[in-house]
Amino acid sequence: MLYAIIATDAPGSLSARRANRPAHLERLSALQAEGRLLLAGPHPAIDSPDPGDSGFSGSLVVAEFEDLEAAEAWADADPYVAAGVYAQVLVKPFIKVLPA
């Protein structure tokens, strides 16, 4: 089943986000290589594709996992969690309707 991982960045976490981005992307690339990643990306803190020093307000990942516990465990092991980038992470089941 698909799960949405909705993360909110902690205030002042941009430098930690930048430092841990390669490890974060490596995990996402592994999901993609397994054919389990539907989409992933950050939420810019301002209305711009390049927010610069304004940074990001969080991230969204939609991927396939065996069950909710597996999705939560994967999310909990993210380098951004360990580095304190994310203040909150919510994992919810997701049903893709469109595009078909």
Side-chain angles (χ1 to χ4, degrees):
M1 179 163 186
L2 292 173
Y3 293 87
I5 301 169
I6 307 155
T8 303
D9 282 18
S13 62
L14 182 57
S15 62
R17 178 184 266 274
R18 287 176 174 156
N20 289 277
R21 188 169 189 262
H24 173 75
L25 292 178
E26 184 177 323
R27 295 180 79 237
L28 291 169
S29 293
L31 280 181
Q32 183 178 16
E34 295 168 4
R36 297 171 42 205
L37 182 64
L38 184 64
L39 64 91
H43 300 286
I46 61 173
D47 189 12
S48 172
D50 182 5
D53 290 338
S54 294
F56 301 91
S57 63
S59 300
L60 171 65
V61 174
V62 179
E64 184 178 348
F65 293 93
E66 182 176 320
D67 54 30
L68 181 60
E69 287 181 2
E72 290 174 333
W74 188 91
D76 288 344
D78 194 290
Y80 283 175
V81 171
V85 173
Y86 292 153
Q88 179 183 20
V89 178
L90 177 63
V91 181
K92 300 169 71 167
F94 180 82
I95 298 172
K96 180 182 175 222
V97 175
L98 294 171

